[in-house]
């Protein structure tokens, strides 16, 4: 029998042990590391709502619960503080419209308090929303980088003389400078979380041009959202991205509860965008439509968190480092209500400081209303008490210029007109209704052009209509059973039929006057006068001159009539 030397017997044993150790290496082993859970929190369409606002929760069955006060930055800060105690690496992101159309407490100061609050919340990235362009591309860049050179010189750097801009990064992969052919701002950003590189790519709706004043986005081109996201993926992979998350400022709607994961009835522009995305993208965080939903589209998770900070979306995502593989994704929308989490004392102190700086302007009484709130919600025909009031106000402000008709777009009316004790509306409550700082433009349109304007309320055969609010004395009927382009029937002004060849003097805000909200006929108006008058100032003056406004609609005096 041959004897094996002890050294020879030992070598195979050592080799076996070494191989065994490699095969059973735990989570720290690079070759066999298990999936890592990445926690994200998403916000969208905050619109500078630093304070809580009215919110109507949705029951699990889709029905509406009684309205409550929710949202605001203090509630958001408290929730994030609590959740970061569970995971210090939590990643906070946004799908756009952080600012713009903001209440007075933010807009009085060129939205700098909202940017400062987002810095305090450690927001890491946000898709650009259409409202980030409200004051033009120059102001968007100032919000990002800081400084005081602003088109809103009366507001910028008035609260703090040393505005340093956003610590987070605005993203817009589908916005290109036409002069250079290069991206206007970055398309993506990569954040490292628990050793995982998370690529965040952002886009804004391609149709931004129709909802922003043309002068504010001159020289910019807005491309296809999905194409821009897919185009950015190779660069993100080259920079080591293990997983890619899309932040899309475009959305959809569903009748399903915003609190129930797995919704399957989402419809709207976001559905087509998601279906065109590279298969590696499993999570799409959306905005723009102010809806709450937790949906599945083509097997991908698609979320939105309502608006104004009323909800936050919590996301737990399993990711395999280096493999580009996304496993289980769990999502929930969480109501943001004061007192649900321990307060973030630094944020409480900051908001108190902003309130103190704003108090005198915001609390200034304007006028007593007949009843409050005055609602922006439209009846079946498309008419609203608040819309009537604003159309009457801009007409009254420009009658001395020969104006006969006032038009107001529904999207420009951001909130109901609320009031305090004795139904007295304060400046802050009034400003929340018309926060854009739009000015009034007077122009001539003939009767045929006015008819075309009204027909443009229906953008297609299937459109429900984007109804303009019109001033007292002007009325018309419409019939949704007729095809788009011929839905408007009789039109009258002060009881007389509108004449197609006759010229009429009209007033609209500068957004509409440039053809905004898909009303291109306004841009063709002649003999234009840029009055410089703010629509908000017109409303304030009207309320003061007409105490007791804001009564409910009187059916006998309807301005917009739907055919039965």
């Amino acid at each position: 029998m041959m004897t094996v030397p002890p050294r020879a017997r030992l070598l195979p044993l050592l080799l076996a042990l070494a191989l065994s150790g490699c095969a059973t290496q735990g989570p720290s082993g690079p070759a066999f590391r298990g999936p890592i859970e990445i926690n994200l929190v998403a916000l969208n369409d905050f619109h500078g709502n630093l304070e809580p606002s009215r919110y109507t929760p949705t029951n699990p069955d889709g029905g509406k619960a009684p309205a409550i006060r929710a949202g605001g930055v203090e509630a958001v800060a408290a929730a994030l503080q609590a959740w970061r105690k569970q995971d210090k690496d939590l990643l906070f992101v946004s799908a756009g419209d952080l600012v713009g159309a903001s209440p007075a407490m933010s807009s009085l100061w060129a939205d700098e308090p909202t940017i400062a609050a987002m810095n305090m919340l450690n927001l890491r990235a946000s898709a650009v929303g259409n409202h980030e362009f409200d004051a033009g591309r120059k102001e968007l860049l100032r919000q990002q980088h800081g400084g005081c050179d602003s088109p809103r010189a009366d507001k910028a750097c008035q609260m703090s003389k040393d505005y340093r801009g956003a610590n987070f990064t605005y993203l817009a992969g589908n916005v290109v400078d036409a002069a250079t052919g290069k991206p206007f701002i970055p398309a993506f950003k990569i954040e490292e979380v628990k050793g995982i590189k998370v690529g965040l790519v952002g886009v804004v709706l391609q149709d931004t041009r129709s909802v922003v004043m043309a002068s504010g986005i001159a020289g910019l081109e807005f491309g296809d959202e999905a194409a821009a996201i897919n185009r950015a993926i190779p660069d993100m992979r080259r920079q080591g991205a293990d997983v890619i998350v899309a932040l899309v400022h475009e959305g959809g709607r569903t009748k399903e509860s915003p609190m129930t994961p797995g919704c399957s009835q989402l419809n709207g522009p976001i559905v087509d965008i998601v279906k065109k995305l590279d298969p590696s993208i499993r999570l799409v965080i959306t905005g723009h439509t102010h809806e709450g939903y937790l949906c599945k589209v083509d097997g991908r998770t698609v979320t939105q968190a309502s608006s104004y900070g009323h909800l936050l979306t919590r996301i737990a995502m399993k990711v395999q480092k280096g493999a580009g593989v996304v496993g289980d994704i769990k999502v929930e929308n969480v109501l943001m209500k004061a007192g649900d989490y321990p307060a973030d004392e630094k944020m409480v102190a900051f908001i108190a400081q902003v309130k103190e700086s704003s108090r005198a302007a915001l609390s200034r009484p304007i006028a007593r209303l007949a009843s409050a709130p005055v609602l922006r919600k439209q009846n079946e025909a498309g008419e609203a008490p608040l819309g009537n009031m604003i159309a009457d106000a801009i007409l009254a402000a420009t009658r001395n210029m020969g104006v006969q008709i006032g038009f107001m777009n529904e999207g420009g009316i951001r909130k109901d007109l609320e009031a305090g004790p004795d139904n007295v509306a304060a400046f802050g409550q009034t400003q929340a209704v018309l926060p854009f700082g739009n000015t009034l433009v007077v122009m001539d349109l003939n009767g045929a052009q006015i008819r075309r304007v009204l027909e443009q309320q229906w953008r297609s055969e299937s459109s429900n209509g984007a109804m303009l609010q019109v001033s007292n004395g002007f009325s018309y009927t419409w019939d949704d059973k007729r095809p788009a382009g011929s839905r408007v029937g009789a039109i009258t002004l002060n009881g007389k039929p509108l004449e197609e060849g006759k010229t009429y003097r009209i007033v609209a805000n500068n957004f509409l006057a440039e053809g905004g909200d898909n009303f291109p006929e306004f841009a063709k108006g002649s003999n234009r006068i840029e009055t410089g008058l703010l629509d908000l100032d017109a409303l304030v003056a009207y309320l003061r001159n007409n105490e007791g406004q804001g009564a409910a609609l009187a059916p006998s005096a309807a301005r917009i009539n739907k055919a039965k």
Side-chain angles (χ1 to χ4, degrees), residues 274-275 277-279 281-282 284 295-302:
V274 171
K275 288 181 176 180
L277 292 178
D278 185 279
I281 297 179
R282 310 309 302 166
V284 183
C295 296
K296 286 287 189 179
V297 177
D298 270 10
R300 310 171 203 251
T301 300
V302 183

Side-chain angles (χ1 to χ4, degrees), residues 88-229:
K88 64 181 179 59
D89 296 309
L90 180 150
L91 187 60
F92 182 38
V93 298
S94 162
D97 277 3
L98 291 170
V99 298
S102 307
M105 202 167 88
S106 182
S107 64
L108 277 174
W109 315 106
D111 280 316
E112 291 169 12
T114 297
I115 301 296
M118 293 299 146
N119 289 344
M120 293 174 68
L121 295 173
N122 196 24
L123 181 70
R124 302 312 304 147
S126 176
V128 164
N130 52 287
H131 283 283
E132 263 86 18
F133 290 100
D134 281 349
R137 59 189 290 182
K138 177 180 177 180
E139 182 69 347
L140 169 55
L141 292 175
R142 187 188 78 88
Q143 287 171 346
Q144 176 73 81
H145 301 298
C148 299
D149 182 11
S150 168
R152 300 185 284 183
D154 59 326
K155 299 178 178 181
C157 295
Q158 297 304 303
M159 179 169 286
S160 170
K161 301 301 181 185
D162 185 26
Y163 173 63
R164 298 189 179 185
N167 294 340
F168 58 90
T169 305
Y170 274 122
L171 305 173
N174 64 329
V175 184
V176 173
D177 188 316
T180 65
K182 296 180 179 179
F184 169 62
I185 57 176
F188 66 87
K189 180 182 185 181
I190 294 179
E191 291 280 340
E192 186 161 338
V193 182
K194 301 176 183 176
I196 300 290
K197 289 190 174 181
V198 181
L200 303 169
V201 56
V203 292
V204 65
L205 67 152
Q206 186 176 5
D207 199 29
T208 293
R209 189 167 297 282
S210 72
V211 292
V212 174
M213 284 194 298
S215 55
I217 54 174
L220 296 179
E221 296 176 348
F222 296 80
D224 181 85
E225 303 95 338
I229 293 171

Side-chain angles (χ1 to χ4, degrees), residues 351-375:
I351 294 302
Q353 174 193 339
V354 178
K355 283 182 179 178
E356 183 59 34
S357 300
S358 310
R359 181 172 288 119
L362 296 177
S363 61
R364 188 173 76 248
I366 299 300
R368 181 174 288 105
L369 307 175
S371 61
V374 185
L375 300 177

Side-chain angles (χ1 to χ4, degrees), residues 232-254:
I233 291 175
D235 282 345
M236 300 173 79
R237 293 296 190 198
R238 278 192 288 271
Q239 294 185 31
D242 296 296
V243 60
I244 295 171
V245 176
L247 308 175
V248 182
H249 191 73
E250 178 62 289
R253 301 185 186 279
T254 179

Side-chain angles (χ1 to χ4, degrees), residues 10 24 94 151 225 236 261 324 342 461 496 538:
L10 184 61
T24 60
S94 162
E225 303 95 338
M236 300 173 79
E461 288 284 346
K496 297 181 179 179

Side-chain angles (χ1 to χ4, degrees), residues 186-480:
F188 66 87
K189 180 182 185 181
I190 294 179
E191 291 280 340
E192 186 161 338
V193 182
K194 301 176 183 176
I196 300 290
K197 289 190 174 181
V198 181
L200 303 169
V201 56
V203 292
V204 65
L205 67 152
Q206 186 176 5
D207 199 29
T208 293
R209 189 167 297 282
S210 72
V211 292
V212 174
M213 284 194 298
S215 55
I217 54 174
L220 296 179
E221 296 176 348
F222 296 80
D224 181 85
E225 303 95 338
I229 293 171
N230 292 339
R231 189 166 55 245
I233 291 175
D235 282 345
M236 300 173 79
R237 293 296 190 198
R238 278 192 288 271
Q239 294 185 31
D242 296 296
V243 60
I244 295 171
V245 176
L247 308 175
V248 182
H249 191 73
E250 178 62 289
R253 301 185 186 279
T254 179
K255 293 181 179 179
E256 295 158 286
S257 169
M259 316 306 279
T260 305
C263 98
S264 60
Q265 300 175 34
L266 187 65
N267 60 74
I270 191 62
V271 175
D272 288 337
I273 294 170
V274 171
K275 288 181 176 180
K276 292 189 291 184
L277 292 178
D278 185 279
S280 65
I281 297 179
R282 310 309 302 166
L283 174 63
V284 183
I285 297 168
T286 75
H288 188 56
T289 49
H290 291 208
E291 293 281 315
Y293 49 74
L294 303 166
C295 296
K296 286 287 189 179
V297 177
D298 270 10
R300 310 171 203 251
T301 300
V302 183
T303 71
Q304 192 174 143
S306 185
S307 58
Y308 308 150
H310 292 150
L311 303 177
L312 289 181
T313 305
R314 295 190 73 178
I315 303 162
M317 178 172 58
K318 295 285 183 69
V319 180
Q320 178 68 55
K321 180 174 176 58
V325 175
V326 178
D328 188 37
I329 300 177
K330 295 180 180 178
V331 293
E332 64 173 329
N333 276 334
V334 183
L335 179 65
M336 291 294 100
K337 200 166 48 142
D340 283 357
Y341 299 94
D344 179 330
E345 296 300 338
K346 289 183 179 179
M347 187 63 77
V348 171
F350 174 72
I351 294 302
Q353 174 193 339
V354 178
K355 283 182 179 178
E356 183 59 34
S357 300
S358 310
R359 181 172 288 119
L362 296 177
S363 61
R364 188 173 76 248
I366 299 300
R368 181 174 288 105
L369 307 175
S371 61
V374 185
L375 300 177
R376 62 175 178 151
K377 184 177 181 180
Q378 299 173 359
N379 61 18
E380 186 184 12
E383 187 173 350
L386 187 52
N388 284 354
M389 179 189 288
I390 295 169
D392 289 347
I394 64 175
L395 173 62
T398 52
R399 273 200 184 279
N400 62 348
M401 302 179 193
V403 171
Q404 300 159 280
I405 310 167
F407 292 99
M408 179 65 198
N409 59 310
E410 61 174 334
I413 307 172
R414 301 306 291 188
K415 289 191 175 181
D416 298 338
L417 176 55
E418 298 183 350
D422 299 322
N423 285 341
V424 174
F427 174 78
Q429 292 165 319
T430 310
Q431 189 274 344
V433 173
L434 297 172
F436 291 102
N438 286 335
T439 56
L440 301 181
V441 179
V442 171
M443 68 180 79
D444 288 345
L445 293 176
N446 63 34
Q449 288 178 300
I450 291 174
R451 179 174 288 277
R452 285 195 289 274
V453 162
L454 297 177
E455 291 288 357
Q456 287 168 358
Q457 294 174 122
W458 298 275
R459 299 168 186 173
S460 67
E461 288 284 346
S462 59
S463 172
N464 292 325
M467 306 304 289
L468 292 167
Q469 304 299 285
V470 299
S471 56
N472 191 30
F474 182 84
S475 66
Y476 67 96
T477 60
W478 62 275
D479 186 349
D480 59 351

